Amino acid sequence: MDGPAGVRRLAAEMAGWREEIAAESDRLQAEGRTPVWNGPRYAVEAFGISRSALDEHPEVHLRLRPTDYYTFLAAQQLDRRLAGGGTPRSRYLDPDRPLEAPAFLQCSFAVNVAVVTADDMLVVSQRSERVRMAPRRNSSPSARRT
């Protein structure tokens, strides 16, 4: 399974992982259980940071592309062993160059909200225990427990 039209494919050695997720979802549904949700998502293809022309307010420009949740879940398995040895993290990511990840690993885009109240309290959302990725974790990366 390559995913919906327009979705960039995973590296060949990781494509089977997406198929495993789809098969698990089919199995869960056949058993009358809640399947793994899959649907369209956006991934960041490129971004730029600049300033507006006249008043020099900061601007962020995003170029997005289509993807799906199964592809996202497969690509998040950065420490899973590849058949030829190594992991996606060791093979495809350079910790000194995080903005140079290959396109097939750039497969998600999300917005998180944090609110500072009038009494200087921080309010962040917490993910449901029913989600596949990072259940019961705070949604904002800066608010995550270590």
Side-chain angles (χ1 to χ4, degrees), residues 2 12 15 27-30 42 45 58 62-63 99 104 111 116-117 119-120 129 145:
D2 292 330
R27 179 185 56 77
L28 290 170
Q29 189 161 11
Y42 288 103
E45 187 166 87
L62 301 173
R63 185 169 60 229
L99 299 179
F104 66 86
V111 176
V116 177
T117 64
D119 58 349
D120 289 328
E129 63 185 31
R145 295 179 214 127

Side-chain angles (χ1 to χ4, degrees), residues 41-58:
R41 294 178 57 98
Y42 288 103
V44 177
E45 187 166 87
F47 74 94
I49 300 172
S50 63
R51 296 180 187 198
S52 61
L54 298 176
D55 51 16
E56 295 194 7
H57 288 213

Side-chain angles (χ1 to χ4, degrees), residues 130-145:
R130 297 186 61 198
V131 296
R132 176 75 180 240
M133 193 70 199
R136 300 189 54 86
R137 300 278 308 264
N138 292 328
S139 289
S140 178
S142 61
R144 288 196 176 145
R145 295 179 214 127

Side-chain angles (χ1 to χ4, degrees), residues 83-101:
T87 65
R89 183 184 311 276
S90 66
R91 184 168 298 168
Y92 300 113
L93 299 176
D94 180 345
D96 296 324
R97 302 179 101 115
L99 299 179
E100 295 179 13

Side-chain angles (χ1 to χ4, degrees), residues 104-127:
F104 66 86
L105 290 180
Q106 299 172 18
C107 59
S108 185
F109 173 74
V111 176
N112 293 304
V113 176
V115 177
V116 177
T117 64
D119 58 349
D120 289 328
M121 298 298 290
L122 178 65
V123 179
V124 295
S125 59
Q126 183 180 55
R127 296 177 58 80

